[in-house]
Amino acid sequence: MARKVPFAANPLLKVQLPPWRSRVVMFLMACAFLALIGRAIYLQTFNTDFLQREGEMRYERLLELPASRGKIIDRNGQVLAASLPAKAIWAEPKEIKMSKAQLTQLAKLLQMPERDIERKLIDKDTSFTYLKRQVDAETADRIAQLKLAGIHQRKEFKRHYPEGETLAHVVGFTNVEDAGQEGLELAQHRQLSGKAGSRRVIKDRYGRIIEDVQEIREPTNGRDLTISIDSKVQFQAHAALRDAVREHKAKAGAVVVLDVHTGEVLALANWPTYNPNERTVLKGEQLRNRVITDTFEPGSTMKAFSIALALELGKTTPHSVIATAPGRLTIGSATIGDSHPHGDLTVEEVLQKSSNVGTAKLALTTSPQQMSDMFASLGFGQAPQIGFPGAVAGRVRPARTWKPIEQATMSYGHGMSVSLLQMARAYTVFARDGDMVPVTMVKHTEHVVGQQVFKPQTAQAVRKMLEMAAGPGGTAPKAQIAGYRVAGKTGTAHKIESGRYVNKYVASFVGFAPVSDPRIVVAVMIDEPGAGRHYGGEVAAPVFARVTENSLRALRVAPDAPVVAPGSKPAAPKVQVRAPDVEPKASL
């Protein structure tokens, strides 16, 4: 009879391991579970923010909401610069799947070579690259219709300048990031630029927006800027300058028009210029705002101030007689001279005939410090506080270093340098009865108080002389305007290169009108005229006449002189001889 043996008694099933080993394994497993439980509690209790951020990085995106830049508007409300909606075309190289035909279509729409697009997409490790910025809305829509994988669009703004090259040096331009680079776009960037907003969205793996999570901040658009420029006056100044530079085959030119009452800049034109809407090819010559950044020796336009100083200090009177014969004046070892001898001249005639000898004799009746103080009060040697980038100070040496011959030559505009804007502002002392107001590019809304430089009687006396200088017996009869009395002074100065005078000229004219109640000051500079004429009265004065006449009519300023009927001849003036105003350099 078989013996019953328990299954557990089978020798094969007999446990050979020590009992403590199973306990150790159970203990280790319990510790592992406790560690997992502890880790879970830590992650879900103490490290929630980290996990939340990691998750959001995989599905949430913070989109920037671009702000529109403020408009630039002229004094009459005409828009000179505005922001238009545009799109930035960008790509994810690792998601790109384009055929050759699709690449050709995209390149054609973006107006880019195919190889340039391929070069941007060659790096598959990057997740973002711009293909082109500031693409117009119509082109962006046509690109979207191609439905290209990995090609995306982003809303932005593109700056547009309706007046083009006419106002390029005033408004300037911005870059693709909408930051001001030149002109008022740069000078007033803080006011014009807005603050971008943002919103949080959920995107899928293809970059499509699934859900708006939160709008964090609304964009704040920039503030509009109303400037002092009058577009009608600016157009006339630009056209007259362009035509003059071309006619005289000059290197460059500049014109500035100031409002006598407020100091506002009504027009500021330079040639050569550029189109701020198309800047693919730009040169430094085109970008230079010569009105405020270029300096030159002012020549005879300085004579009005030297004579005004002598009158102000009581050293002479308008009718005092100055002996200028034989047309030369020796000071130490140097000699200065007139273009031709005049003989005895009254002080009025000294300015009318533009006599270097007469002006130098009057200047030498004053001290160097007195003349230097006058220069400083007129703003020479100091950068104009116009709130515009690049304004220069010019050069006036300290009075303590002046020699008598240097004081004499500075009296008629040699040995110093100024900008055209400085000259225009300085001439407002004669148009405003001896006081000056700050110059500004922003439209004034409040009354402006001037700083007195000369007595009203002095300014009025010089104003009469300047009217004579711009008349038939002066150096600039071509500055005359039908229906308006004008006053002003020509300048013709040699240029300096490498520290030496060369046979190149800067022709200039600064004046104002109407004389009975001056409204505008107009300053003109033509650099290196090369068509056979170089005198300020022949080259710059006609530009002054054209700009001033058109500006006064655009501003609706009433005439203050009779208009000569077409075909008739005005009464012949007593003095018909016109004196060229070139200033011979002192011979040493």
Side-chain angles (χ1 to χ4, degrees), residues 215-234:
E215 190 167 288
I216 299 177
R217 185 177 66 247
E218 286 277 1
T220 303
N221 294 332
R223 291 180 293 158
D224 294 344
L225 175 67
T226 301
I227 64 175
S228 62
I229 293 293
D230 187 308
S231 295
K232 299 184 294 295
V233 177
Q234 177 71 27

Side-chain angles (χ1 to χ4, degrees), residues 85 184 295 376 472 483:
L184 288 171
T295 60

Side-chain angles (χ1 to χ4, degrees), residues 297 300 303 306 322-342 350 354-365 371 403-415 501 582-588:
E297 288 195 343
S300 288
K303 291 176 180 176
S306 301
I322 307 296
T324 65
R328 302 179 69 81
L329 177 64
T330 299
I331 303 173
S333 60
T335 301
I336 62 176
D338 289 331
S339 57
H340 59 268
H342 296 290
V350 167
S354 196
S355 169
N356 297 335
V357 173
T359 304
K361 283 188 173 183
L362 290 170
L364 291 173
T365 63
M371 183 178 286
K403 298 177 182 178
I405 184 60
E406 292 172 331
Q407 182 179 358
T409 57
M410 277 191 285
S411 71
Y412 57 83
H414 284 275
Y501 286 101
V582 65
E583 299 84 17
K585 302 179 293 296
S587 57
L588 302 178

